[in-house]
Amino acid sequence: MISKKYSVVDTRRCVSCGTCIKECPKDAIYIHKGCYAVVDTDICVGCSLCTRTCPADCIALVDREVVS
Ligand code: SF4
Ligand code: SF4
């Protein structure tokens, strides 16, 4: 079953610290070319662990659009 939410990174504010990557139970986050974190939205289950631990407060949960 697909989650109702997923997280997105504000890439302008991300400092590539990797905290979110360590926190994510689904391994849904990677650092793009050493510059900023990217969430694989197909894997993310919207658990919010990353959004709560990001020291730069730059990950937010957003609603997944329902495809009917
Ligand atoms: S919301 Fe949960 S599953 Fe999604 S990227 Fe963050 S820690 Fe991983
Ligand atoms: S925890 Fe926040 S600042 Fe650190 S890599 Fe993840 S999104 Fe970027």
Side-chain angles (χ1 to χ4, degrees):
M1 180 168 136
I2 201 153
S3 63
K4 289 190 178 152
K5 292 180 182 285
Y6 63 90
S7 63
V8 288
V9 177
D10 181 343
T11 54
R12 293 164 304 176
R13 285 163 56 208
C14 173
V15 294
S16 311
C17 67
T19 304
C20 56
I21 294 171
K22 284 188 217 134
E23 211 56 41
C24 179
K26 297 303 231 180
D27 288 336
I29 314 175
Y30 60 94
I31 299 287
H32 177 75
K33 295 185 176 175
C35 295
Y36 51 78
V38 175
V39 176
D40 185 330
T41 55
D42 289 336
I43 302 173
C44 174
V45 293
C47 69
S48 83
L49 284 174
C50 60
T51 63
R52 282 186 268 156
T53 52
C54 174
D57 197 22
C58 67
I59 317 183
L61 283 183
V62 295
D63 290 325
R64 206 182 278 279
E65 281 182 33
V66 179
V67 181
S68 55

